Amino acid sequence: MDKLIYRFNNQGSQGGNNSKDILGGKGINLAQMAKLGLPVPPGFTISTKVCEYFYKNKKKIPKKLIQSVKKEIKIIEKISKKKFGNLSNPLLVSVRSGSRVSMPGMMDTILNLGLNDKTVIALKNKTSNGRFAKDSYRRLIQMYSNVVFGIESHFFEELIDNYKLTKGVIQDTELEESDWDGLIENFKEIVKEKTKKIFPQDVNEQLWGAISAVFLSWNSKRAKTYRKINYIPEHWGTAVNVQAMVFGNMGDDCATGVAFTRNPSTGKKEIFGEYLINAQGEDVVAGTRTPLNLNSMNKSMSKIFLQLKKIFKQLENKYKDMQDIEFTVENNKLWMLQTRSGKRTARAAIKIAVDMVQEKLISIKDAILRIDPNMLDTLLHPTLDEKAKKDIIATGLPASPGAACGKVTFSAEEAERLKEQMQDTILVRIETSPEDINGMHAAKGILTARGGMTSHAAVVARGMGKPCVSGSSEIKIDYENKLFKSGDHEIKEGQVITIDGGSGQVMLGKVPTLKPDISGNFSKIMSWADKFRKLKVRANSETPADTKIARDFGAEGIGLCRTEHMFFDEKRIISVRQMILSKTLDDRKEALAKLLPYQKNDFIEIFKIMNGLPVTVRLLDPPLHEFLPKTDKDIENIAKELNIGHHDIRSRISELHEQNPMLGHRGCRLGISFPEIYQMQCQAIFEALAECKKNKIKLVIPEIMIPLVSTAAEIQILRNLVDKTASEIQKIHSVKIKYYVGTMIELPRAALRAKDIAKFADFFSFGTNDLTQTTFGISRDDSGKFLNDYVENKIFNKDPFVSIDERGVGELIKIATERGRIEKKSLKLGICGEHGGDPKSIEFCEKVKLNYVSCSPYRVPIARLAAAQACLKKKV
Ligand code: PEP
Ligand code: MG
């Protein structure tokens, strides 16, 4: 087995050059900070390889590790001049997890290991601070019992709360040594009752219990969920960091805090952080005491504040990124406990990247690669309209920006349940804990009554890009009766509220929103990205409103205009139904003639907005029965309108019924059976262009796309139909119009026979929604029922309808690309399935050298950035 342990301390660290994969993020950064000469308490990192061994060997620790840990503890003892388990000068250690990427709060940590009934007295004598020693011991019992024995924390918390109530005090700091003595005995009783064992007094037993528990926490439910949401592979495992304890809770010359080297919400270059005097780290994060703004440390501990500022600069210079730091001050000495790249909002990510280029810390390429394209989503959606009437019922901290509106829900489970019903929710909690992670993901926004800017809710929400208002102390939550009160307001579960994570406001009802601002730094990053990308970015759009948004977001064309969406309009559906119900060709043509002007005007509108850019118009795709009325009332109405008996309508509905409509009479099959439909659509396109030409509107080049083709004969027949219609209209209007005819590749056979099909096509557009459906044989509409099981059983890494299955669907795309281009070198290739807006799939599209991707208008900037990153990554 490889090296198991890596040492770090100010006399030299072993791990600094090893990769994060082995030491984990926390371990490698501790080693590097120690190397930089920053004050880091001595310790060591147990490699992720041990975690791998642990899970492969029935959760056993390798024997070799036991000796190595012993040796390393001795080294810590030597440096700290304390001894583990010693009765006069005991060394205490912390045991923390640390995987390759940070998973905040998802795995376990135990502090103060090494305390027992005897060493606690030694610690008291050594520090002349009995209160501190006993408080530390009770924290160990509480944390250890929770993490190692699985005893829920509230059993201990309730004891403390009741005790404080009887004593008439509010803060934990008001409890004295003797109070903690009593509570420690009660805590030990709980352990005995729940585990039938006494709390371990052997410090080595404590240490190994903690190390195993950290490994086990890699597979805790919440860690698994977090990994699933963030696509973190199971096999990575966690490292374990064992480090000498330093104390922020030994008196008023001690403190503990967390800081960011820049503001993680706005990106502004300023000191941003919180600290507490006389406290331990978990007090800041848990939100049980309200922390102070770090800037006030300039007065309370000015020397430390200056030292911290200097360290911030050193760390930014080293890591070339904004850092998230944990520190402790023990008797006026500063100790650095952690540094890592800080989670930030999308707005902050963009500002920091642009600023760092200007500060010459990073290059433009680095700046482009720094920003997670998916994160931009939060910036592309509306924000609250400043002028709108707002009924503000509470305020809290502006923990994660953006506006969200939804039904109030008080539990993660309820938020998940409502999400399944497509309902928007705001998850309202006193404070959140890692168990709430699923609910936070499901909700549109998060509101908490307790907790600061670095509380769990704030950190996790920022990471997810979700609006969050935290620490709104005005709201009083009553979980039992499912309501919260704020002043005179009483808000019940299910009532709609709006939260603004940028201002911290909580409002009654739905507040109107405004279009996002995509100027300034955002447009700078976008223009940088555009210089590096090869793939063009188009949008899927068929309404003037969406087309405008797409253009504003930088779409370079329309890659998919689904014409059937234009058929659904209330005014047109009657004619569509008439067309479907027609028994003769003449009747059908009459109905189509009514639809023609609608289609034509739609195209004129879209062509005007696109102002010369390419527009791919897809001819009718879905099965006809989709347009027929479904309810009795609708059937009655249409029967009256068209003067047909409702029996006739019902019999037509049953005639059109298909067992497998997705594999049925749809796409080009409709064009083959009813050529007059496609003929009408082409007539509308060319007449629209003729009119544009007459009105001197810059002409777009239409790309007419035939859906669901699987054979060359289909496209040959339908191409003839398009060409014939085009030439007739051009003749009638005496105009010359340039156009292309192509097909979607969305069936495996089409991909395989791409060479034959390319003979009749000017372009291919990969319809990866259907191609995924037909390659796997999994219905795109029903897969939700079992996809989760597939991800859980590691059959799929990711939902293949979201991110392209490179090995199967991707292989077909590759085959079609190669075979198509053999036949026709100039063949234009794009993608218009949902995958066209997914960064990972875009990387694949770049790899197989498509010409463009097409996605929903709101994803256009995401695709522009992802396309640039795909090019830059290829060169690295
Ligand atoms: C596709 O199948 O990927 C596609 C874009 O077409 P639709 O989603 O309309 O079937
Ligand atoms: Mg399709």
Side-chain angles (χ1 to χ4, degrees), residues 540 560 562 564-565 618 621 662 666 705 707-708 744-746 765-772 780 831-835:
N540 295 355
L560 176 63
R562 291 176 164 107
E564 60 271 13
H565 288 197
R618 183 181 71 188
D621 184 14
M662 274 293 183
R666 57 173 284 217
M705 183 152 77
L708 221 72
M744 297 193 72
I745 299 288
E746 47 188 348
S765 177
F766 291 99
T768 43
N769 303 332
D770 274 313
L771 191 57
T772 302
R780 50 196 267 205
I831 177 174
C832 63
E834 285 309 302
H835 305 85

Side-chain angles (χ1 to χ4, degrees), residues 289-302:
R289 273 169 66 190
T290 303
L292 306 168
N293 185 317
L294 190 58
N295 283 296
S296 72
M297 203 187 217
N298 199 7
K299 291 207 182 86
S300 60
M301 292 181 167
S302 58

Side-chain angles (χ1 to χ4, degrees), residues 733-793:
H733 294 273
S734 319
V735 284
K736 185 118 196 69
I737 291 166
K738 188 169 170 156
Y739 66 94
Y740 296 110
V741 182
T743 180
M744 297 193 72
I745 299 288
E746 47 188 348
L747 295 172
R749 193 184 191 283
L752 296 172
R753 301 309 306 170
K755 194 164 173 296
D756 315 338
I757 291 173
K759 282 195 182 79
F760 307 99
D762 304 319
F763 65 89
F764 286 171
S765 177
F766 291 99
T768 43
N769 303 332
D770 274 313
L771 191 57
T772 302
Q773 168 169 264
T774 48
T775 301
F776 279 104
I778 289 179
S779 154
R780 50 196 267 205
D781 299 316
D782 301 321
S783 59
K785 286 187 194 135
F786 57 86
L787 268 183
N788 249 348
D789 301 336
Y790 268 55
V791 173
E792 229 133 70
N793 283 292

Side-chain angles (χ1 to χ4, degrees), residues 310-324:
K310 210 173 125 203
I311 290 175
F312 287 179
K313 201 159 178 203
Q314 270 177 291
L315 289 175
E316 277 208 352
N317 281 338
K318 160 95 188 145
Y319 293 107
K320 316 261 184 240
D321 196 9
M322 181 258 263
Q323 295 294 292
D324 165 0

Side-chain angles (χ1 to χ4, degrees), residues 224-258:
K224 280 181 148 180
T225 304
Y226 186 89
R227 286 204 291 274
K228 205 162 110 190
I229 294 169
N230 294 285
Y231 306 111
I232 299 172
E234 297 270 324
H235 70 266
W236 280 5
T238 181
V240 179
N241 299 292
V242 181
Q243 191 175 22
M245 285 293 303
V246 285
F247 293 96
N249 57 341
M250 275 167 70
D252 286 343
D253 58 353
C254 301
T256 186
V258 293

